[in-house]
Amino acid sequence: MNLGLMAKVAGLELGAQADGINVTGFAIDNRKVAPGTVFGAFPGSQVNGEDFIPAAIAAGAVAVVARPQAVVEGALHIASDEPRRLFAHLAAPFFEPMPDVVVAVTGTNGKTSCVEMVRQLWHVAGFSAASIGTLGVTTAQESVSTGLTTPDIVTFLSNLHGLAREGVSHVAYEASSHGLSQFRNEGPRVVAGAFTNLSRDHLDYHATMEAYFAAKMRLFDEVVGDGGTAVIWADDAWSEAAIGHARARGLKLMTVGGKGETIRLLSRTPTQLGQVLELECEGAVRKVTLPLIGAYQAANALVAAGLVIASGGDGARTLDALGRLAPVRGRLERAAINRAGAPVYVDYAHTPDAIEAAIAALRPHVGGRLITVLGAGGDRDSGKRGPMGAAACAGSDMVIVTDDNPRGEDAGLIRAAVMAGCTIASDVREVAGRRAAIAAAVSAAGAGDIVLVAGKGHEQGQIVGRGEAMRVLPFDDVQVARECVGELT
Ligand SMILES: CC(=O)N[C@H]1[C@@H](OP(=O)(O)OP(=O)(O)OC[C@H]2O[C@@H](n3ccc(=O)[nH]c3=O)[C@H](O)[C@@H]2O)O[C@H](CO)[C@@H](O)[C@@H]1O[C@H](C)C(=O)N[C@@H](C)C(=O)N[C@H](CCC(=O)O)C(=O)O
Ligand SMILES: Nc1ncnc2c1ncn2[C@@H]1O[C@H](COP(=O)(O)OP(=O)(O)OP(=O)(O)O)[C@@H](O)[C@H]1O
Ligand SMILES: N[C@H](CCC[C@H](N)C(=O)O)C(=O)O
Ligand SMILES: [Mg+2]
């Protein structure tokens, strides 16, 4: 494809030189450059991509998108103070066609759940749909992991293109704050964006909560297309601020939740296997039986319904379809039941707020004690560890502090930081090794008790070490819980 033409489609002026250049692909890693590639050279958190410009040109790069001060010899230098943004906009036309209907979800917790629910609701409505996020690229047929919540820009755009070629017309993707701030998900026309909530996470990457929120709000400020819709969970402390961003941008506004105007949650009644939601929408009140437990899953279901309606879905039919939602992998997934009859739930809660939400979801179902197993990730926001311990202790009768992806840190020190927050409950134990911790919880649980194993959800490995020494040791909370139950019978 001609570079000048692509630039024109993207609304960029590159000059006559670009017209003579034929582009065969895009790459942000010099090791993926082939002859005819446009290379994006970005300063990163580990290394400076500009150092790889000579290697990229030697491998055949025909143009390099980089800051003005970068040295580019032997290829066209497309200079910008925001090279990641320019690279994304230049690359997008190359990956057309993309699916017709694209929506995005941001927020600290609930992104994966929402995009997966949107995908299911579209499927029920008869569309060929996919979701892109922490669980990978998921269609009705399969789920392929990308390793990140928001993949890098080249993977993201080529995934969208590949999905369109397979006939997928509808895509919901997760916009993480890292992804938004690194322009990893620009390109498709986004018809609607959603905000779920904001609470402490990733303060190793973002300087303050305000900066973290601002990164997320780029979804409404810039990523959703003109005339698009903002779907906002109305009951969060940050909802008003999010509404402000959507209004300032002139987006259509849909609010959902107890304070929601578009879909109002009038009441929520937990049942054994789910909950009955009383909803007011388009002037009518209806009852929907959601086959999932917990206030947080109800919240995500309503945000998902909002996105489906925002992108053309019928209101009544969409709300009725909530009754057909299947569980999302690793989100309050019932993994096993021990010999005493105590269920073991696996949940991806890895922030203080999420632990509180997961515990609140299970509480109405606990006859005896709630036993929570948790750890905190290494090389991630260390300030959330104590608050995670505190949240677990505040809501549980027994807490077992263990390991969760120590990465390059000392697992014992991470456990100690979580333990330091455990000042409330008296029954708190520290158990090194996640399998031993899950086994301890399973053997402690008696009739009427519930075990919550928090933090890893769908994850398939325990990440230990950093850089060259990094290893992913196979580990699946669901499977381990089943094995522990089996070992005890
Ligand atoms: C902190 C962070 O976000 N890092 C991500 C980011 O890396 P970076 O741009 O800082 O890259 P870098 O390693 O310093 O390299 C700079 C540039 O040089 C290039 N390079 C590097 C080496 C080389 O030999 N040749 C070369 O060209 C790299 O491709 C890159 O463009 O961009 C890379 C490519 O897209 C990601 O793989 C990498 O994710 C790392 C592995 C990571 O752990 N990310 C986590 C924190 C993350 O992104 N999480 C979010 C949020 C999770 C959530 O809450 O949902 C996510 O979206 O997954
Ligand atoms: N709406 C919500 N409010 C509070 N907590 C939630 C909500 N949705 C999910 N959670 C909690 O957060 C956990 C992760 O949910 P989910 O994977 O959907 O979020 P995410 O935003 O995709 O997370 P990540 O940032 O890791 O990609 C759940 O297992 C649950 O404990
Ligand atoms: N997307 C999240 C996943 C955290 C999951 C938890 N198991 C951990 O390793 O902290 C992150 O990268 O912070
Ligand atoms: Mg996610």
Side-chain angles (χ1 to χ4, degrees), residues 134 149 201-202 348 350 376-378 380 384 404-405 407 455-456 459:
T134 314
T149 286
D201 202 5
H202 301 312
Y348 197 43
H350 52 267
R380 293 283 185 277
K384 72 177 176 178
D404 180 352
N405 295 334
R407 300 191 177 88
K456 296 186 78 67
E459 288 180 359

Side-chain angles (χ1 to χ4, degrees), residues 3 5 97 141 154 164 219 290 341 373 443:
L3 182 60
L5 188 69
Q141 288 76 37
V154 179
L219 181 65
L290 187 69
V373 178
S443 69

